[in-house]
Amino acid sequence: MDQQQQKTEEMIDGLVRPERMAHTIGRTPKYIQDEIAGLVEGEQIPGSFGDLIKRSVEMTEEHKEFAGTNVV
């Protein structure tokens, strides 16, 4: 595997992490977060993009209780 292909695979691996997606979703306005959550609220195929988004949205919901605190 050449260096370019390895960098591409590392970048893709980073993008499919729910923590990274949750961070991105958490930075969007509330109405967009609600829209995204509505799109994936039903059952999702495990391992699909919808599943990744759903897990990411759930992570943002869990962290809302820390909003306005000094918890990092």
Side-chain angles (χ1 to χ4, degrees), residues 20 27 40-41 53:
R20 174 98 24 132
R27 295 178 65 185
V40 294
E41 69 184 344
I53 298 297

Side-chain angles (χ1 to χ4, degrees), residues 3-59:
Q3 189 175 13
Q4 178 67 25
Q5 186 178 10
Q6 183 178 359
K7 284 183 178 182
T8 301
E9 287 187 17
E10 288 174 4
M11 186 172 27
I12 291 170
D13 288 343
L15 291 173
V16 297
R17 295 185 59 201
E19 298 86 1
R20 174 98 24 132
M21 292 294 267
H23 176 71
T24 303
I25 292 169
R27 295 178 65 185
T28 62
K30 176 78 170 112
Y31 72 94
I32 293 175
Q33 291 178 26
D34 292 343
E35 184 75 22
I36 292 170
L39 292 172
V40 294
E41 69 184 344
E43 189 71 25
Q44 300 297 320
I45 298 170
S48 68
F49 185 69
D51 182 51
L52 171 68
I53 298 297
K54 185 173 185 170
R55 290 184 292 143
S56 301
V57 167
E58 290 169 353
M59 290 176 105

